[in-house]
Amino acid sequence: MAGVVDYVWMDSPVGRLLLAADEAGLRQLLFADGRSEVQPQPGWREDGTRVADAVGQLRAYFAGQRRTFELPLAPEGTPFQQRVWRELLNIPYGQTISYGELARRLGNPNGSRAVGLANGANPISIVIPCHRVIGSTGKLTGYGGGLKTKQWLLALERVGSGLELPLH
């Protein structure tokens, strides 16, 4: 990460979140109680100034008052991961797609496994909506914040969009 990274812990309906940003934008939004331990990196400073907009927009999202995020994003990853994460931003609020469909959209119909790995490495959960990617049968599959969190996020969006999406 370039420059000084500021971070803040945020309590949310899906648990405690760690948000980190530098001058380029939001770098991380991770679940404190997810599949791996999350801690601020050495040298980061606890300061909510750079993440204040993200915190406000997340609160509005959780309240059902926001469907899209308008934030500068600066996730770090390989060129392929970056392509996957950019494509995730094109999945509309309240909708889901399969890993296979995501791979097809990226021009690699046989790449669902690679897409799944890149999806799982997404460092800016919720804002880059990796929770909107599900198995080809409609079944919920792995999520960094846990399957209950994924189900909760999809239910929030289903209610907010007026769509009825099957949750298995």
Side-chain angles (χ1 to χ4, degrees), residues 67-75 81-93 97 102 105-106 119 122 124-133:
R67 293 179 176 211
T68 60
F69 294 94
E70 298 169 13
L71 298 166
L73 304 178
Q81 288 172 328
Q82 297 280 344
R83 284 185 56 223
V84 171
W85 301 336
R86 277 192 303 275
E87 191 60 38
L88 291 173
L89 293 168
N90 294 323
I91 306 170
Y93 179 94
I97 65 169
L102 184 56
R105 290 182 183 186
L106 290 164
N119 195 57
N122 174 16
I124 306 178
S125 298
I126 304 170
V127 174
I128 297 177
C130 54
H131 61 278
R132 296 179 188 156
V133 183

Side-chain angles (χ1 to χ4, degrees), residues 35-115:
R35 64 177 168 223
S36 58
E37 184 178 345
V38 173
Q39 291 294 324
Q41 298 297 311
W44 288 9
R45 88 181 158 196
E46 190 166 7
D47 182 340
T49 306
R50 288 188 175 150
V51 295
D53 284 344
V55 168
Q57 289 184 35
L58 281 163
R59 286 190 177 131
Y61 169 83
F62 289 128
Q65 300 166 343
R66 176 175 279 278
R67 293 179 176 211
T68 60
F69 294 94
E70 298 169 13
L71 298 166
L73 304 178
E76 288 189 337
T78 67
F80 178 73
Q81 288 172 328
Q82 297 280 344
R83 284 185 56 223
V84 171
W85 301 336
R86 277 192 303 275
E87 191 60 38
L88 291 173
L89 293 168
N90 294 323
I91 306 170
Y93 179 94
Q95 296 184 28
T96 57
I97 65 169
S98 69
Y99 292 96
E101 174 59 24
L102 184 56
R104 280 188 290 283
R105 290 182 183 186
L106 290 164
N108 185 2
N110 297 320
S112 59
R113 206 167 280 196
V115 162

